[in-house]
DNA sequence: TGTATGACGATAT
DNA sequence: CATATCGCCATAC
């Protein structure tokens, strides 16, 4: 009985599927423990498939977390309007810590609690200058030059984010270019990961980082790559992309 | 310490 | 051109 871990599953997919196709089952292990098996589909399986899954996909309900004890509000937050929906911004004395497109204030508070470790409190009267700068950045694609609080971000990712802040509107960089900028030419993938975890999208312009093959790469805000493309177009950056796709 | 996980890149098919 | 494969790397657990 053959066994593979998740890495082998990822890197030898085809070989494994061929093996399964020949009739030999493969056990998948994770952290050393068997969690699944790959087996060849039987005729009955195929029949079941066409009968049940030709026009729909199974979905599952979401789990809800129980309420947690209140924390002594360390941060505050405000909401600002954007063309693509309401944006919530959590901030502390050192500047914004997190930006999100939560569906409601309550949802944002839960998300912030999880990410920041301490739930922010709605600010009835946000600092006027902060609010103005944030809105200007989001609505007008202006650089956000104010301070940001990246104290919760690990070192490499923080370096990436700081590099992103130096990309002017209307320009783009590739993930690899950012990696080289940081002196780690082979860390393109890690740069992508850092972008994906950017706690301050829009304020820190991770949408200006694209793939070296001319594609746009991903985007974590709701709206995904479509929104990324929209932002770049509004900034006039699409024209200078190497290719188009 | 080892294992798992990606907003990547270069290359092969 | 699209997909697959595999190397790379920082992080989270």
């Amino acid at each position: 009985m053959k066994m593979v871990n998740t890495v082998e599953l990822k890197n030898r997919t085809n070989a494994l599927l061929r093996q399964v196709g020949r009739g030999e089952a493969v056990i998948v292990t994770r952290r050393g423990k068997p969690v699944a098996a790959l087996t060849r589909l039987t005729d009955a399986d195929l029949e079941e498939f066409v009968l049940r899954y030709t026009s729909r996909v199974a979905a599952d309900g979401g789990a809800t977390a129980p309420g947690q004890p209140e924390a002594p509000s360390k941060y505050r937050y405000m909401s600002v309007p954007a063309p693509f929906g309401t944006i919530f911004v959590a901030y502390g004395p050192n500047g914004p810590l997190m930006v999100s497109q939560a569906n409601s204030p309550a949802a944002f508070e839960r998300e912030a609690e999880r990410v920041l470790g301490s739930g922010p409190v709605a600010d009835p009267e946000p600092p006027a200058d902060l609010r103005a700068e944030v809105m200007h950045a989001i609505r007008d694609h202006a650089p956000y030059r104010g301070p940001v609080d990246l104290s919760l971000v690990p070192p490499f990712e923080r370096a990436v984010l700081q590099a992103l802040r130096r990309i002017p509107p209307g320009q783009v960089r590739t993930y690899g270019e950012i990696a080289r900028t940081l002196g780690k030419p082979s860390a393109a993938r890690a740069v992508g990961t850092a972008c994906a975890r950017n706690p301050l999208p829009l304020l820190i312009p991770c949408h200006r980082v694209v793939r070296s093959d001319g594609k746009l790469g991903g985007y974590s805000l709701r709206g995904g790559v479509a929104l990324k493309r929209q932002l770049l177009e509004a900034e006039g950056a699409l024209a200078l992309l190497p290719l188009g796709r």
Side-chain angles (χ1 to χ4, degrees):
Chain A
M1 182 76 75
K2 183 168 180 62
M3 305 214 311
V4 296
N5 59 31
T6 58
V7 172
E8 295 168 49
L9 180 63
K10 171 188 177 183
N11 291 333
R12 300 181 49 239
T13 309
N14 259 2
L16 291 171
L17 290 183
R18 273 196 303 275
Q19 188 160 5
V20 170
R22 288 196 297 270
E24 180 176 357
V26 173
I27 300 294
V28 180
T29 63
R30 173 205 250 158
R31 295 182 178 285
K33 298 177 181 176
V35 294
L38 298 178
T39 61
R40 184 169 55 184
L41 285 179
T42 64
D43 290 341
D45 289 330
L46 291 172
E47 189 166 331
E48 159 110 355
F49 177 81
V50 295
L51 287 179
R52 297 188 48 201
Y53 294 102
T54 41
S55 62
R56 65 191 162 106
V57 176
D60 67 304
T64 8
Q68 294 301 317
E70 288 294 335
S73 71
K74 200 162 150 192
Y75 309 116
R76 289 173 294 172
Y77 75 89
M78 63 180 168
S79 63
V80 302
F84 40 88
T86 298
I87 301 297
F88 293 91
V89 182
Y91 55 92
N94 301 318
L97 289 106
M98 157 182 176
V99 159
S100 110
Q101 294 173 299
N103 286 314
S104 69
F108 177 70
E109 288 174 24
R110 284 194 300 274
E111 180 187 0
E113 162 87 45
R114 178 172 53 76
V115 175
L116 306 178
S118 162
V121 162
D123 193 339
E125 204 166 322
D129 52 345
L130 173 65
R131 185 177 176 74
E133 282 188 74
V134 167
M135 289 188 66
H136 190 221
I138 294 179
R139 289 183 354 219
D140 310 327
H141 310 103
Y144 176 76
R145 302 180 188 289
V148 290
D149 188 339
L150 300 179
S151 59
L152 299 179
V153 179
F156 178 79
E157 292 182 1
R158 191 182 312 172
V160 169
L161 298 182
Q162 286 168 345
L164 302 195
R165 292 193 81 183
R166 299 200 297 272
I167 309 176
Q171 292 191 24
V172 295
R173 300 286 185 277
T174 67
Y175 295 95
E177 283 172 344
I178 298 298
R180 292 194 282 279
T181 291
L182 299 178
K184 307 201 176 184
S186 55
R189 190 167 191 168
V191 168
T193 300
C195 291
R197 296 181 186 164
N198 177 11
L200 295 170
L202 302 175
L203 297 186
I204 293 181
C206 57
H207 60 278
R208 296 181 191 141
V209 190
V210 300
R211 296 178 53 116
S212 64
D213 62 6
K215 295 184 182 179
L216 292 189
Y219 196 52
S220 56
L221 281 189
R222 202 148 66 218
V225 188
L227 176 56
K228 185 175 189 174
R229 178 177 292 106
Q230 188 179 309
L231 292 170
L232 291 176
E233 178 167 36
E235 297 176 2
L238 280 194
L240 47 85
L241 244 43
L243 305 178
R245 237 332 85 148

